[in-house]
Amino acid sequence: MQEVDIIIKNGLVITIDSNSTIYSKGHLVIDKGVIVEITDDESVLTNYQSKKSIDASSKLIMPGFVNTHTHTGNTIYRGFADDMPLKKWLEEYIFPVESKFCTVETVRLSAQLSIIEMLKGGTTCFSDMYYFEDEVAKVCDEIGMRAELGETLLDFPSPTAPNSDVAIDYTEELITNWNAHELVTIAITPHAPYTCNDDTLVKSKKLAEKYDVPYHMHVSESKYEVQQSLEKHNATPVKHLDDLGLWKDGDFAVHCVHLTEEDRELLKEKGIAVAHNPRSNMKLSSGIAPIQDLINRGILCGMGTDGTASNNNLNMIKEMDTAAMLSKVHTMDPTSLDAKTMVQMGTINGASLLGLDDKIGSLEKGKSADVIIIDLNQAQLIPMYDPYSHIVYSMNGSEVETTIVNGNILMENRQLNTINEEKILTEVKILQEKIKKEF
Ligand SMILES: [Zn+2]
């Protein structure tokens, strides 16, 4: 009999594999961070003895959510400035408060708070774009969270660096320090074509090519950004980046709200994926990204929450629900972005965007054990005819009972094992008072 770390048994298993396999009474065997068995054949379990056994009767077992775009360092500004357009929000509120309060210490605290919220909502991997990302990497390492981290590159001074050259050097150091890590990968992330000049964009792309790491940025988020690009470069942001020779298969663009026909064809032709953040786009009145149209063209789309300063949460279930509803109204087609498509976007497609689909995003033998267990015995989830429907339209995130990343149980029965939740929440409240006094 083989000794293994964890056996989860008797649960409704949604695998999100290529056949969309579902086991109504399935079992998962996990050892050394990897799924070694996934089956509904109970006799297989007799081959194993586990240190930890979880009975998942009346529970749903599925891969954790992959949040493809957020800014964990600004979660401490949740609700700081609401109900205004992107330009005003960024220039008059977010950039000034960040310039005063964004330090290594506040980024650490904000990342800790973000990861608590994510783990409690079933997210097991996130893609980050902020400052002092080395500190975020340390926090991920301490908690055991999976992430793809990118230092924001800007033409003006950032909290981390006085200019983009220093920020690019900082990013190179991040790659050297972290890319061999089991859970942390580094991406190259210029903020956007309107905050980075051509030189910064080209230099940062060269760095991405040198180390063969992912490359992504905000693109065509607002009408204003597109207008500005047309005036300055006589091209849309998507076209401008292509004119610079920057798009490469596997890169992804965040937002893509305002796209011309030519932009859409370019994204398809170059193999560029899209991170969809509908709640942030709605809240800032940026517009509606044409996701169903992009999917129809064969463009890979994943889900992101964006930062809590513009959402105001990191809840992937809410995000999937919003994306589905918004698309149905946008296209006036109720079949648009159906529940199963949304769950795929929130899991395996997100993993593909981050180049991690060989490792995570679905429950399959040989993949990393990034698993969530959801309590189905709750009024809002009864009755249940279709689990995909419930995940997108009926859950709110609080039903997630257990969250496992890389075979480590980070949350069990809603108790976090690798971070002191109460202590972090108290520290954030103290910081909030300081921010309030200054603004
Ligand atoms: Zn963003």
Side-chain angles (χ1 to χ4, degrees):
M1 194 178 273
Q2 193 188 329
E3 175 143 321
V4 292
D5 293 332
I6 307 169
I7 293 179
I8 309 169
K9 50 189 177 185
N10 306 324
L12 167 63
V13 183
I14 314 261
T15 64
I16 325 284
D17 66 10
S18 53
N19 298 318
S20 301
T21 308
I22 293 180
Y23 300 111
S24 55
K25 192 178 175 189
H27 319 290
L28 214 63
V29 181
I30 299 167
D31 193 42
K32 296 178 183 69
V34 174
I35 298 168
V36 293
E37 292 283 1
I38 178 162
T39 179
D40 57 358
D41 179 358
E42 215 169 330
S43 69
V44 171
L45 297 182
T46 57
N47 300 334
Y48 300 96
Q49 189 174 4
S50 66
K51 292 173 201 153
K52 170 88 184 169
S53 176
I54 299 173
D55 183 8
S57 308
S58 307
K59 286 167 193 178
L60 188 153
I61 305 166
M62 67 175 287
F65 300 114
V66 179
N67 185 348
T68 62
H69 180 69
T70 188
H71 310 275
T72 58
N74 76 14
T75 300
I76 51 170
Y77 312 119
R78 188 199 313 268
F80 173 72
D82 291 324
D83 310 324
M84 61 187 79
L86 174 68
K87 192 174 181 306
K88 183 175 176 182
W89 175 79
L90 261 182
E91 291 175 3
E92 293 179 31
Y93 291 86
I94 294 303
F95 287 152
V97 76
E98 281 178 340
S99 76
K100 184 119 201 182
F101 282 96
C102 183
T103 63
V104 176
E105 292 75 26
T106 59
V107 164
R108 158 171 282 272
L109 185 60
S110 196
Q112 288 171 320
L113 176 69
S114 306
I115 294 172
I116 290 172
E117 185 183 350
M118 286 193 268
L119 290 174
K120 295 198 101 166
T123 295
T124 51
C125 178
F126 68 98
S127 173
D128 204 35
M129 182 201 279
Y130 205 63
Y131 311 112
F132 302 116
E133 286 290 342
D134 186 58
E135 199 62 23
V136 181
K138 286 176 191 161
V139 171
C140 290
D141 175 61
E142 289 159 16
I143 299 175
M145 183 64 166
R146 194 183 298 282
E148 184 205 75
L149 309 176
E151 177 71 21
T152 310
L153 308 176
L154 292 162
D155 283 341
F156 45 92
S158 84
T160 320
N163 57 55
S164 58
D165 282 341
V166 178
I168 289 173
D169 290 347
Y170 179 93
T171 303
E172 186 159 17
E173 241 175 81
L174 283 178
I175 295 169
T176 319
N177 291 346
W178 290 102
N179 252 11
H181 195 276
E182 213 177 355
L183 298 172
V184 175
T185 50
I186 302 299
I188 312 292
T189 55
H191 176 262
Y194 67 95
T195 43
C196 293
N197 63 38
D198 294 354
D199 186 46
T200 304
L201 293 170
V202 171
K203 272 188 193 159
S204 60
K205 184 67 195 184
K206 277 191 182 143
L207 185 65
E209 281 170 352
K210 181 176 171 188
Y211 291 97
D212 192 24
V213 294
Y215 184 79
H216 56 90
M217 71 181 96
H218 300 108
V219 179
S220 295
E221 180 176 1
S222 69
K223 250 186 195 156
Y224 174 78
E225 174 193 342
V226 177
Q227 270 165 12
Q228 210 187 22
S229 178
L230 287 169
E231 282 162 24
K232 203 169 164 191
H233 307 295
N234 199 25
T236 63
V238 172
K239 178 74 169 54
H240 175 59
L241 293 169
D242 188 56
D243 289 344
L244 291 173
L246 297 183
W247 287 134
K248 190 180 138 231
D249 196 4
D251 293 341
F252 73 90
V254 179
H255 297 308
C256 289
V257 173
H258 299 280
L259 299 175
T260 62
E261 176 63 26
E262 190 191 11
D263 290 341
R264 297 173 201 211
E265 283 305 304
L266 257 176
L267 293 174
K268 166 68 184 152
E269 189 193 315
K270 301 285 175 175
I272 309 305
V274 171
H276 182 37
N277 302 253
R279 288 176 56 84
S280 169
N281 299 151
M282 289 167 75
K283 188 155 178 289
L284 294 162
S285 294
S286 299
I288 305 171
I291 298 302
Q292 185 63 63
D293 179 66
L294 299 182
I295 291 173
N296 294 346
R297 290 168 196 257
I299 295 167
L300 180 70
C301 296
M303 292 306 303
T305 59
D306 214 345
T308 54
S310 65
N311 185 325
N312 297 354
N313 60 66
L314 302 169
N315 186 322
M316 284 287 285
I317 289 172
K318 262 189 163 182
E319 204 70 39
M320 294 189 296
D321 183 16
T322 305
M325 300 296 185
L326 182 62
S327 186
K328 291 171 203 308
V329 175
H330 187 214
T331 58
M332 288 311 284
D333 174 4
T335 67
S336 164
L337 295 193
D338 60 275
K340 188 174 165 190
T341 301
M342 286 319 308
V343 176
Q344 287 166 337
M345 282 175 68
T347 54
I348 189 68
N349 289 12
S352 298
L353 248 74
L354 307 189
L356 296 171
D357 50 316
D358 58 334
K359 231 178 169 180
I360 59 166
S362 60
L363 301 182
E364 293 177 71
K365 210 170 166 173
K367 277 198 164 183
S368 293
D370 287 16
V371 184
I372 58 173
I373 304 174
I374 293 163
D375 178 14
L376 294 174
N377 199 26
Q378 307 208 32
Q380 72 272 26
L381 305 182
I382 295 171
M384 184 173 75
Y385 302 104
D386 172 6
Y388 293 113
S389 163
H390 268 24
I391 295 164
V392 177
Y393 301 128
S394 302
M395 288 185 190
N396 56 50
S398 67
E399 305 89 346
V400 178
E401 198 176 79
T402 298
T403 303
I404 301 171
V405 177
N406 209 34
N408 295 312
I409 303 175
L410 303 189
M411 179 176 80
E412 189 172 16
N413 296 322
R414 298 208 55 79
Q415 291 301 310
L416 296 169
N417 289 334
T418 54
I419 184 161
N420 185 336
E421 182 180 1
E422 205 185 316
K423 177 174 170 277
I424 300 302
L425 302 194
T426 304
E427 286 177 20
V428 175
K429 285 183 215 164
I430 293 168
L431 176 64
Q432 170 210 317
E433 287 306 317
K434 284 187 194 161
I435 295 175
K436 234 169 117 180
K437 258 188 201 160
E438 296 274 339
F439 284 87

